[in-house]
Amino acid sequence: REKYKIEDRVEMLGAVPHSNVCDVLCRGQIFLNCSLTDSFCMAILEAASCGLHVVSTNVGGIPEVLPNEMATLAEPNET
C-alpha cells in the first residue's frame, strides 16, 4: 500500500464474519477477483448483489456467472 501511496484509500480487514460481509461489500465500488482457477465464484455473486462492479480474471466458469454489464474480465497473466 505504501509503495503505491494508497494507504489512505485501502483498508485491510482480514477475516470478516459472514454476517458482516454484505455491510463490508456495500462500502466499496468494485470487487477484484484475481483467481487463476475457479469453476464458480460465489464471492463475485455476493459482490454483484451488493451493487459492486466485478473485475475478474477470465478463467473457468467465471465468464458464465454474470452478464457483461456487471463484470469486466481480463485474461490472466500466469508468468
Side-chain angles (χ1 to χ4, degrees), residues 42-77:
M42 186 61 71
I44 66 174
L45 284 180
E46 291 175 331
S49 72
C50 290
L52 278 69
H53 184 80
V54 172
V55 178
S56 179
T57 46
N58 187 10
V59 296
I62 291 177
E64 301 168 17
V65 175
L66 295 174
N68 292 339
E69 61 271 8
M70 295 181 78
T72 301
L73 301 177
E75 296 302 319
N77 181 355

Side-chain angles (χ1 to χ4, degrees), residues 8-78:
D8 61 330
R9 294 176 278 163
V10 175
E11 183 179 0
M12 305 301 270
L13 298 176
V16 175
H18 190 265
S19 60
N20 296 0
V21 170
C22 184
D23 293 333
V24 170
L25 287 174
C26 287
R27 293 170 41 196
Q29 296 175 353
I30 64 167
F31 181 82
L32 177 62
N33 177 56
C34 50
S35 177
L36 293 177
T37 60
D38 221 325
S39 60
F40 184 87
C41 185
M42 186 61 71
I44 66 174
L45 284 180
E46 291 175 331
S49 72
C50 290
L52 278 69
H53 184 80
V54 172
V55 178
S56 179
T57 46
N58 187 10
V59 296
I62 291 177
E64 301 168 17
V65 175
L66 295 174
N68 292 339
E69 61 271 8
M70 295 181 78
T72 301
L73 301 177
E75 296 302 319
N77 181 355
E78 297 183 29

